Amino acid sequence: MKLHKESKGTITVATILFIIISVLAIYFLKMWSLLIIMPLLVVYSLVFWFFRVPERDILEHRENVIAPVDGKVVMIKEVEETEFMKGKAIQVSIFMSPLNVHICRYPVSGKVIYKKYHPGKYLVAWHEKSSTENERTTVAVETATNHQVVFRQIAGYVARRIVFYCNEGDQAKAGHEFGFIKFGSRMDVFLPLDTEIICKIGDITKGGVDVIAKMKD
């Protein structure tokens, strides 16, 4: 199983703790140590599972808006996007549980024209105010169809580290990685009002593969 590059520090710490706790359990509890080691082994395995990098067949897209993450669609509504678009947009929000793949991908192809990191709170990721109050990043892309699309990584109650690798001027390719969020979070995508929304609330998305909307060319 291929692991994400962001896993290195977390797995190192998890391995050290696993070894220390296991050795102490064996020394003090003898045969009863399995009561500690077995549950600990499950948690240790889940850390590796969280950082997995699945193989995905990424296609070329022009009008299609691709699911930026694995997760569940929890919101589709018209909102006021005040940071960059400065107007009304359709917001599609996808919630990621700790068991989902947490690679963040470009939802559209085009050119990165804006990026900004915002420190903030750690409300639960499905809370509506988390989009404006939690730790987050905002990225905007000028698409191949001459639209502006904004997407936002949002830290959740458990997630405490957001990473994004893109810079202004970079070429964005729909479905390709631009960042990572650790341990439970949300992605918001803000689309023009005339965008055809294909997904619906409750849909389970596969990042980089599933089409969630289609923009007019």
Side-chain angles (χ1 to χ4, degrees):
M1 178 175 64
K2 184 178 179 182
L3 296 176
H4 197 274
K5 61 183 179 182
E6 296 296 336
S7 68
K8 186 176 181 180
T10 302
I11 287 178
T12 299
V13 172
T15 300
I16 293 171
L17 289 175
F18 177 73
I19 292 172
I20 291 174
I21 295 173
S22 296
V23 169
L24 290 174
I26 292 170
Y27 182 79
F28 288 106
L29 301 176
K30 308 302 181 185
M31 62 178 294
W32 296 103
S33 63
L34 289 177
L35 296 175
I36 300 294
I37 294 174
M38 294 309 294
L40 193 63
L41 183 60
V42 172
V43 174
Y44 183 56
S45 299
L46 286 174
V47 173
F48 283 83
W49 180 249
F50 176 86
F51 287 104
R52 68 196 184 278
V53 180
E55 291 291 334
R56 298 278 163 89
D57 186 13
I58 308 298
L59 305 177
E60 295 291 331
H61 297 279
R62 179 176 171 84
E63 299 93 352
N64 290 338
V65 181
I66 305 304
V69 291
D70 290 23
K72 182 179 181 179
V73 178
V74 295
M75 184 187 300
I76 302 173
K77 64 183 294 187
E78 184 177 314
V79 298
E80 193 80 17
E81 203 295 301
T82 57
E83 181 176 348
F84 181 82
M85 299 173 81
K86 309 293 185 184
K88 293 186 179 299
I90 300 174
Q91 177 181 335
V92 178
S93 298
I94 301 175
F95 172 73
M96 293 170 279
S97 79
L99 296 179
N100 285 127
V101 174
H102 273 54
I103 296 170
C104 300
R105 306 171 188 272
Y106 289 110
V108 293
S109 296
K111 183 180 179 180
V112 178
I113 55 176
Y114 176 84
K115 61 169 283 189
K116 188 170 184 179
Y117 167 79
H118 302 270
K121 301 178 181 178
Y122 296 98
L123 302 173
V124 289
W126 57 82
H127 196 295
E128 189 169 347
K129 289 186 177 181
S130 66
S131 182
T132 55
E133 295 186 10
N134 276 22
E135 179 189 6
R136 62 199 181 278
T137 69
T138 302
V139 178
V141 168
E142 183 80 31
T143 73
T145 56
N146 297 314
H147 294 93
Q148 291 181 346
V149 171
V150 171
F151 42 99
R152 187 168 292 145
Q153 297 169 293
I154 302 170
Y157 182 74
V158 179
R160 297 298 174 113
R161 185 167 183 232
I162 297 176
V163 181
F164 65 143
Y165 315 116
C166 61
N167 292 297
E168 291 181 17
D170 286 354
Q171 289 300 310
K173 292 185 178 181
H176 290 261
E177 181 180 355
F178 79 89
F180 194 91
I181 311 178
K182 291 188 177 182
F183 301 114
S185 42
R186 198 174 98 192
M187 277 282 290
D188 290 347
V189 182
F190 298 88
L191 301 163
L193 292 178
D194 61 353
T195 303
E196 178 188 357
I197 304 299
I198 296 174
C199 65
K200 61 184 183 298
I201 292 177
D203 282 356
I204 303 300
T205 60
K206 180 179 285 188
V209 176
D210 291 341
V211 178
I212 60 173
K214 188 171 183 178
M215 292 183 294
K216 293 186 177 180
D217 198 344

